Amino acid sequence: MSEYVIEMKDIVKSFGNVQAVKNGQFTLKKGEIHSLIGENGAGKSTMMKLLYGMYPVDDGTIRIAGEHVPVITPKVAIEKGIGMVHQEFMLVNELTVLENIILGFEPSRGITIDFDKARNMVEHYVTQYGMDIQLGKKINQISVGEAQRVEIIKTLTRGASVIILDEPTAVLTPQEARQLFVILENLRKDGKSLVFISHKLNEVMEISDRISVMRQGNYIGSVNKEETSPAELAKMMIGREVFLNMEKAQAKPGENVLEVKDVWVSGEKEISKIRGVSLDVREGEIVGIAGIDGNGQSELIEAVTGLRRVEKGTVLLGGKDITGLTPRKIRKAGLSHIPEDRNTRGLNRSMSIKENIIAVQVGDPPFCRGMVCDDKESLAYAKELSEIFDIRPRDPEISTQSLSGGNAQKVVVAREVSIGGKLLVASQPTRGVDIGAIESIRKILQEVKSKGLGVLLVSADLEEILSLSDRIVVMHEGRITGRLKAEEANEDNLGLLMMGGTEPDEEMGGTT
Ligand SMILES: Nc1ncnc2c1ncn2[C@@H]1O[C@H](COP(=O)(O)OP(=O)(O)O)[C@@H](O)[C@H]1O
Ligand SMILES: [Mg+2]
């Protein structure tokens, strides 16, 4: 028998005139965690969807457990022991966890579902692999991390021995990602073979046995984890050297640009209610807000940018009171904002790159005078920004719908950064974007700071906070639990503060 449980050879797949996979190669050994990495659009998801039978291949062969399988459908894939956890979960919100898992059973075999039996089976997996799941909760009552565990259980109950996880950590906090890794380790120990799709190199270096790299639809190569480095992987992914841990530009802090004084705001959840937060940001520095998602960071940013009502306290921008002003007035006062969700707040996906870039300046010269707008002026401006910020493709007239995550985010960054102003608020600026775009977005934030603007950065990615910030505030349950200078901060002390631990002589509410 073959050494491999999966063998994909010379795979070709196009969608219309998009060649998603030109030369796809992939092998999976029994009991290994094999990472498939590459920038957005490299063809990773397509490769694995072909294996799972979601589309037919145009060319190439797929072997499962040594046997050539010419036609794969999801039904065939499942029968052959392949399970896939997609980027978008496929769970029914109104049903309970247990019901969702049972939905995956094959009713066509004429066996009526025995709930007790099903529950026992699921509970067995839960304890065996160390998964924390509340079977009786509805899907809309559980966290994203938990929903993901439900998806994994679903593959197991269908008898999967090969489990494909498509960017599972993109939606998780560092803590949840660590929890997931423990589960993946347990699955591997039990002899399961796992495909882990990611573009986060630190994770890949932590979890993988082997790593395969794709770039622009092509197979670049496979390496053993022991014999590679993040730098080598990045080079394989991008095709050139990349520098994520760039030299931090010297901070030259000037006057306060932002002063948040004892601000109270209602929250989406009880733990995200802002309870008396004070902080400030000076010209020429980056202040990072670290915290586990959902501890009030979003609410605080919404309060500062005028999207959420401040119940008590004041917000000053360049010494001017902006508390309670509309977002538009706050923008005019000199605040630009890269919002955390580029799809709902950052971009209008039905509009072109150009229209999105101009959106915040419609009505303003030189683009418009009164009711008359000059399309040539807008186009020239959008073209210029596309060059400077390397937005691909270089066509400002195309819809942002078709852009990759990284390029969509670059449109938002380009628009916000080029407005100028006094303060740039950057919320999760590199979430879900590829490594090439991360590099350029981080570089841009440093340049903004060097130009003398203040930057308030919110990121759930500690590595990002540490590599960019001059000062760091940590939020937990709507309060600030710590304030550190960049030199004093590390993953350990930040992690502790993020969990709500306080430093011994920490005075809450003091100025940063
Ligand atoms: N169903 C589809 N229809 C049209 N184009 C697609 C489809 N799926 C993927 N593509 C395109 O194929 C390329 C590879 O996509 P994908 O496999 O999703 O990349 P990755 O998962 O590495 O980010 C991209 O250019 C993407 O836009
Ligand atoms: Mg993908």
Side-chain angles (χ1 to χ4, degrees):
M1 222 192 88
S2 159
E3 175 192 5
Y4 301 115
V5 288
I6 301 292
E7 247 182 305
M8 301 177 76
K9 205 162 179 297
D10 303 332
I11 304 293
V12 177
K13 179 69 188 176
S14 294
F15 298 102
N17 46 22
V18 178
Q19 276 197 290
V21 175
K22 297 169 200 157
N23 161 32
Q25 316 288 342
F26 188 78
T27 57
L28 184 65
K29 293 179 191 165
K30 180 169 163 53
E32 76 167 343
I33 300 183
H34 191 151
S35 291
L36 179 57
I37 68 171
E39 291 206 280
N40 276 327
K44 308 178 295 291
S45 296
T46 303
M47 275 294 276
M48 289 305 129
K49 285 177 182 169
L50 291 169
L51 174 59
Y52 193 60
M54 294 174 73
Y55 327 109
V57 295
D58 294 346
D59 205 355
T61 51
I62 299 179
R63 290 173 182 278
I64 303 175
E67 175 204 354
H68 177 212
V69 187
V71 179
I72 308 182
T73 61
K75 191 163 175 287
V76 170
I78 291 166
E79 276 167 14
K80 300 212 174 279
I82 299 173
M84 184 157 179
V85 176
H86 296 274
Q87 266 174 301
E88 293 82 30
F89 299 152
M90 304 193 167
L91 300 172
V92 184
N93 265 327
E94 292 71 27
L95 298 182
T96 66
V97 167
L98 186 63
E99 287 162 345
N100 264 280
I101 293 171
I102 289 170
L103 263 190
F105 290 7
E106 277 281 272
S108 59
R109 284 177 204 154
I111 306 161
T112 48
I113 295 160
D114 178 345
F115 259 77
D116 285 338
K117 217 167 156 192
R119 178 186 287 274
N120 284 343
M121 180 174 175
V122 172
E123 273 170 359
H124 168 72
Y125 288 129
V126 168
T127 35
Q128 185 178 3
Y129 301 115
M131 304 206 204
D132 176 15
I133 286 184
Q134 311 162 76
L135 292 177
K137 282 263 167 80
K138 295 227 168 91
I139 298 298
N140 53 18
Q141 294 172 316
I142 63 176
S143 69
V144 173
E146 197 168 341
Q148 195 170 59
R149 295 193 283 277
V150 175
E151 291 280 23
I152 295 173
I153 294 264
K154 262 175 67 180
T155 68
L156 292 170
T157 54
R158 294 182 192 187
S161 58
V162 170
I163 303 175
I164 305 161
L165 298 115
D166 195 351
E167 305 228 20
T169 60
V171 290
L172 301 182
T173 63
Q175 281 72 10
E176 286 176 320
R178 228 158 281 152
Q179 233 179 327
L180 173 68
F181 286 179
V182 173
I183 294 167
L184 299 188
E185 284 292 347
N186 290 342
L187 288 165
R188 168 174 55 184
K189 274 188 214 137
D190 201 35
K192 308 283 182 204
S193 315
L194 305 176
V195 183
F196 177 78
I197 302 182
S198 179
H199 52 237
K200 294 186 189 164
L201 295 178
N202 53 345
E203 293 179 353
V204 165
M205 289 301 290
E206 189 178 332
I207 193 76
S208 325
D209 298 305
R210 284 199 299 152
I211 301 154
S212 287
V213 185
M214 289 186 76
R215 186 167 76 232
Q216 291 172 357
N218 288 304
Y219 170 71
I220 303 300
S222 302
V223 287
N224 290 323
K225 198 264 295 289
E226 256 69 50
E227 292 155 12
T228 189
S229 65
E232 184 191 26
L233 293 175
K235 197 172 167 188
M236 288 169 81
M237 274 168 67
I238 314 280
R240 62 174 172 83
E241 309 273 351
V242 277
F243 304 97
L244 278 184
N245 293 322
M246 53 194 83
E247 215 29 45
K248 207 180 273 180
Q250 185 75 37
K252 296 192 195 84
E255 302 285 307
N256 271 340
V257 281
L258 177 73
E259 293 161 80
V260 174
K261 295 181 177 171
D262 189 30
V263 160
W264 294 70
V265 180
S266 68
E268 283 307 318
K269 298 192 190 129
E270 186 55 24
I271 65 161
S272 60
K273 194 169 144 184
I274 302 294
R275 306 150 205 259
V277 163
S278 300
L279 62 85
D280 43 56
V281 180
R282 291 168 294 180
E283 294 166 333
E285 69 168 356
I286 298 181
V287 174
I289 300 182
I292 302 169
D293 260 355
N295 277 265
Q297 303 92 313
S298 309
E299 284 81 357
L300 178 64
I301 296 307
E302 286 168 8
V304 168
T305 56
L307 295 164
R308 188 177 281 267
R309 200 173 76 83
V310 175
E311 286 167 4
K312 183 170 164 245
T314 48
V315 182
L316 304 180
L317 183 69
K320 178 177 178 261
D321 191 347
I322 57 162
T323 323
L325 295 187
T326 61
R328 193 173 161 82
K329 284 198 173 129
I330 293 176
R331 274 190 174 280
K332 294 262 181 220
L335 181 147
S336 46
H337 179 202
I338 300 167
E340 73 177 55
D341 187 347
R342 63 177 162 266
N343 291 319
T344 57
R345 287 225 164 102
L347 284 181
N348 184 331
R349 285 286 198 169
S350 64
M351 299 199 309
S352 68
I353 296 176
K354 177 190 76 187
E355 288 163 327
N356 271 287
I357 283 180
I358 301 298
V360 297
Q361 300 178 64
V362 163
D364 298 347
F367 310 113
C368 300
R369 285 179 181 78
M371 301 295 284
V372 187
C373 295
D374 182 347
D375 189 55
K376 271 206 204 103
E377 201 61 68
S378 305
L379 187 61
Y381 182 65
K383 271 203 174 124
E384 189 190 331
L385 293 194
S386 296
E387 272 317 311
I388 297 173
F389 292 91
D390 190 25
I391 297 165
R392 289 181 228 185
R394 266 309 185 280
D395 178 4
E397 304 272 20
I398 70 159
S399 160
T400 49
Q401 195 77 55
S402 61
L403 297 183
S404 72
N407 282 296
Q409 185 69 339
K410 282 194 218 163
V411 173
V412 180
V413 170
R415 178 184 71 207
E416 296 303 319
V417 166
S418 50
I419 296 169
K422 300 184 179 80
L423 176 76
L424 173 67
V425 175
S427 299
Q428 317 291 358
T430 63
R431 176 177 280 175
V433 309
D434 57 79
I435 186 166
I438 292 176
E439 182 194 30
S440 62
I441 291 169
R442 289 189 183 173
K443 216 183 267 169
I444 292 164
L445 294 179
Q446 299 246 39
E447 285 164 12
V448 168
K449 153 183 152 182
S450 298
K451 278 189 197 144
L453 273 76
V455 178
L456 182 60
L457 167 71
V458 181
S459 178
D461 180 351
L462 272 190
E463 192 242 302
E464 176 156 280
I465 292 278
L466 285 163
S467 72
L468 290 176
S469 315
D470 301 300
R471 291 186 294 137
I472 299 168
V473 275
V474 186
M475 286 189 70
H476 174 73
E477 297 195 352
R479 291 195 175 87
I480 290 179
T481 50
R483 299 163 192 277
L484 295 97
K485 295 199 189 84
E487 314 84 80
E488 312 162 345
N490 54 48
E491 294 236 346
D492 290 335
N493 57 19
L494 290 179
L496 184 68
L497 293 163
M498 283 162 69
M499 309 293 258
T502 41
E503 297 204 299
D505 42 2
E506 174 70 24
E507 259 299 310
M508 304 267 257
T511 49
T512 316

